[in-house]
Amino acid sequence: MPNNTPINKTDGNDFKVLALESSCDETAASIVHWQGDGKGAILSNIILSQTEEHAAFGGVVPEIAARAHVNAMDDVVRAALLEANLDFKSIDAIAATGGPGLNGGLLVATLTGKSLAKALHKPFYPVNHLEGHALTARLTDGIAFPYLLLLVSGGHTQILIVHGIGTYQRLATTIDDALGEAFDKTAKLLSLGHPGGPHVEKAALNGDGHRFPFPRPMQHHETLNLSLSGLKTAVRQAAEEIAPVSNQDISDICASFQEAVCDILQNRIERSFKLFNEEYPNLEKPVLVVAGGVAANKKIAERLEKLSIDSNFGLSKPPLNLCTDNAAMIAWAAAEHIAVGKQGDFSFIPRPRWPLDETADTLVGRGKRGAKV
Ligand code: KG4
Ligand code: ZN
């Protein structure tokens, strides 16, 4: 048997990819149908969240996550086939998240994916999780290259120029906590529950966003990088100073936190717009794509909408279930690579650290969950 059987299609224009994702705390499988000319259809999209398993710990526990992925992956794959009303024979390629992420989870997706591909005599495609996020808007909104991407989740906080498939230029990353992590830690400090983002957003609804002057670090730094760990320290100090905190205090802290986050993002997005326009001065309507769980936040969404309108950028936000972690984005990213002739790779080993822009500097301490970049 050849090591990596090519896709057996004459024109490469119509094929189905089954993808597995388990890089963090979701076990997911999806089948995507590449229909040619950059168009695709999601035939199934199964996501099993481990939120409850980790809730008591206020964050993702790697060992618990890995074991839960092992237990769930078979059933999740079966469910993806069932939902698509397909059997393994109809699948043309297998893909799996190969990184970045938690090593235990990456091993589950990669080894399951390779085993399936070997048994079915299909090619195996390891996919960069961040690339999945980066390319989703092409599946959902047909966005053309190049575009600007803001990726804000519990594990990543990056701004990238997506020049084309496989060509990503990182403009900004966090040097410490991810933005979702800052929400989660703030919620934990205020005993609001996990994951923290929706709790902070809800509490902030009745709050005064100008009561606490939380820091907006590195606004004038020569790079666009972010530092978000100081926010949680400022939140803790504010809460300690006025302890015991009332419900109104909590609302004011959450609203002030969100206000600081919006200002921090505004500064980086405005500077990114400028850099993007310098790189592509002749684009009629440049687009900002927003992905990741934090994109669900209405205050942030409103601010990004205003900024985009003011700077003549279009704004694309994939539906939330495709903005957060899922396997459809992994299948789609693999499909994009297959369509331009990329070969599969059985020799791949998981990469807990796998930057999208391999030329960008490594920043020690960035991101959470072990090794996301
Ligand atoms: O993309 P995602 O589902 O998973 C990864 O981290 O990869 O993002 C989850 C993160 C969590 O940190 C969560 O607190 C945050 O997204 N989040 C929010 C909101 N909903 C989820 N942050 C702010 N506001 C929200 N409404
Ligand atoms: Zn993600």
Side-chain angles (χ1 to χ4, degrees):
M1 186 178 64
N3 188 36
N4 201 22
T5 321
I7 288 195
N8 189 19
K9 295 281 170 190
T10 47
D11 56 5
N13 231 1
D14 178 0
F15 53 84
K16 298 187 186 76
V17 181
L18 165 64
L20 318 179
E21 150 69 41
S22 51
S23 64
C24 191
D25 57 347
E26 265 94 27
T27 319
S30 167
I31 298 169
V32 166
H33 183 187
W34 174 274
Q35 299 164 322
D37 296 334
K39 293 197 173 55
I42 299 173
L43 304 184
S44 61
N45 189 18
I46 307 293
I47 304 171
L48 186 71
S49 176
Q50 303 174 358
T51 307
E52 279 178 19
E53 276 97 321
H54 302 284
F57 303 95
V60 179
V61 183
E63 182 63 24
I64 293 176
R67 284 166 190 257
H69 290 311
V70 171
N71 289 339
M73 189 55 93
D74 288 2
D75 287 342
V76 168
V77 169
R78 225 172 274 129
L81 287 166
L82 202 67
E83 186 172 280
N85 199 19
L86 292 172
D87 58 20
F88 278 124
K89 286 202 290 290
S90 339
I91 303 297
D92 300 295
I94 307 284
T97 303
L102 296 172
N103 200 36
L106 297 175
L107 280 165
V108 175
T110 304
L111 293 183
T112 311
K114 279 188 190 179
S115 310
L116 279 173
K118 277 278 179 202
L120 298 167
H121 306 286
K122 304 292 177 190
F124 170 73
Y125 288 86
V127 172
N128 183 313
H129 177 93
L130 302 176
E131 187 170 35
H133 282 301
L135 298 177
T136 302
R138 290 171 51 75
L139 168 65
T140 57
D141 294 350
I143 303 294
F145 296 126
Y147 52 88
L148 194 64
L149 174 77
L150 170 67
L151 176 55
V152 275
S153 71
H156 350 273
T157 301
Q158 302 201 350
I159 303 173
L160 296 140
I161 297 180
V162 181
H163 294 283
I165 295 161
T167 324
Y168 309 96
Q169 181 186 351
R170 196 184 74 197
L171 300 182
T173 188
T174 174
I175 64 167
D176 38 53
D177 292 350
L179 188 54
E181 181 183 13
F183 271 93
D184 295 340
K185 288 181 174 171
T186 294
K188 196 174 176 187
L189 278 164
L190 301 171
S191 306
L192 292 180
H194 183 83
H199 294 283
V200 171
E201 179 167 21
K202 190 161 172 243
L205 284 175
N206 310 315
D208 172 4
H210 300 285
R211 178 169 162 199
F212 297 97
F214 291 139
R216 278 92 165 138
M218 294 174 71
Q219 300 267 50
H220 304 292
H221 198 266
E222 59 178 309
T223 74
L224 271 63
N225 291 332
L226 303 101
S227 171
L228 298 163
S229 67
L231 263 179
K232 67 167 186 289
T233 311
V235 165
R236 197 190 61 239
Q237 285 167 347
E240 281 170 2
E241 269 168 31
I242 56 168
V245 287
S246 66
N247 284 341
Q248 188 58 51
D249 292 332
I250 289 178
S251 289
D252 292 347
I253 290 174
C254 289
S256 301
F257 168 86
Q258 277 190 169
E259 199 60 34
V261 166
C262 285
D263 288 349
I264 291 167
L265 286 178
Q266 171 164 346
N267 172 280
R268 300 315 193 277
I269 290 297
E270 282 176 342
R271 291 164 69 191
S272 300
F273 281 164
K274 194 162 167 282
L275 289 176
F276 187 90
N277 283 335
E278 280 167 14
E279 181 95 20
Y280 291 105
N282 298 321
L283 278 189
E284 205 173 300
K285 187 79 178 175
V287 175
L288 169 67
V289 171
V290 188
V294 182
N297 187 286
K298 291 197 183 58
K299 272 272 171 219
I300 294 176
E302 277 167 19
R303 185 73 70 98
L304 294 175
E305 260 160 47
K306 182 173 181 320
L307 287 174
S308 302
I309 291 167
D310 290 351
S311 298
N312 193 34
F313 266 68
L315 184 66
S316 161
K317 205 172 90 178
L320 197 60
N321 68 329
L322 297 174
C323 248
T324 54
D325 287 354
N326 67 88
M329 69 179 192
I330 304 301
W332 175 255
E336 292 249 39
H337 278 282
I338 293 167
V340 295
K342 187 178 172 182
Q343 298 295 303
D345 181 10
F346 274 113
S347 68
F348 178 86
I349 47 171
R351 294 184 60 182
R353 205 190 85 68
W354 186 359
L356 254 192
D357 179 353
E358 303 264 13
T359 65
D361 291 342
T362 300
L363 296 175
V364 179
R366 72 273 170 261
K368 73 158 182 180
R369 296 174 184 174
K372 288 196 173 180
V373 287

